[in-house]
């Protein structure tokens, strides 16, 4: 059976109250995301679902709102971020040519 991205998330063992914080405390929440292997999937989920609160994929609600305003025509953040991640994967010739 294939696991879901959130089953591999670093924050799965963290108290959710640590991720839904305001102000300077968001820096600590973002640190949890920094080394997470599913950060991209998490961010895409938050953007696609228009989740308003908490740190998701290393971005605060303010950062996500700004991104959504800058790119209002994106139909699927999951597809866009997955394609960008693939384009910049180590060993990818397209990324090396840039």
């Amino acid at each position: 059976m294939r696991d879901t991205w959130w089953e591999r998330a670093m924050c799965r063992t963290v108290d959710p109250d640590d991720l839904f914080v305001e102000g300077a405390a968001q820096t600590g929440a973002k640190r949890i995301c920094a080394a997470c292997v599913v950060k991209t999937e998490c961010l895409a989920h938050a953007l696609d679902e228009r989740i308003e609160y908490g740190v998701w994929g290393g971005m605060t609600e303010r950062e996500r709102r700004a991104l959504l305003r800058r790119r209002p025509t994106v139909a699927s953040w999951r597809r866009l971020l997955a394609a960008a991640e693939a384009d910049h994967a180590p060993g990818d010739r397209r990324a090396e040519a840039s």
Side-chain angles (χ1 to χ4, degrees), residues 6 9 11 14-15 19 32-33 39 41 46 58 63 68 71 82 91:
W6 55 83
C11 63
V14 174
D15 182 344
L19 301 172
I32 295 167
C33 302
K39 183 166 76 171
E41 292 92 333
E63 293 166 331
L68 289 167
R71 303 285 304 269

Side-chain angles (χ1 to χ4, degrees), residues 11-74:
C11 63
R12 73 186 176 285
T13 60
V14 174
D15 182 344
D17 289 339
D18 293 341
L19 301 172
F20 293 88
V21 292
E22 296 179 358
Q26 291 178 328
T27 301
K30 289 171 75 169
R31 268 191 228 114
I32 295 167
C33 302
C36 186
V37 297
V38 294
K39 183 166 76 171
T40 302
E41 292 92 333
C42 179
L43 177 58
H45 172 74
L47 292 167
D48 282 339
E49 299 298 321
R50 303 299 195 265
I51 296 174
E52 294 185 28
Y53 302 104
V55 173
W56 291 78
M59 292 184 84
T60 66
E61 57 265 17
R62 177 180 276 174
E63 293 166 331
R64 291 192 311 274
R65 277 194 306 270
L67 183 56
L68 289 167
R69 277 193 305 274
R70 284 193 308 269
R71 303 285 304 269
T73 61
V74 174

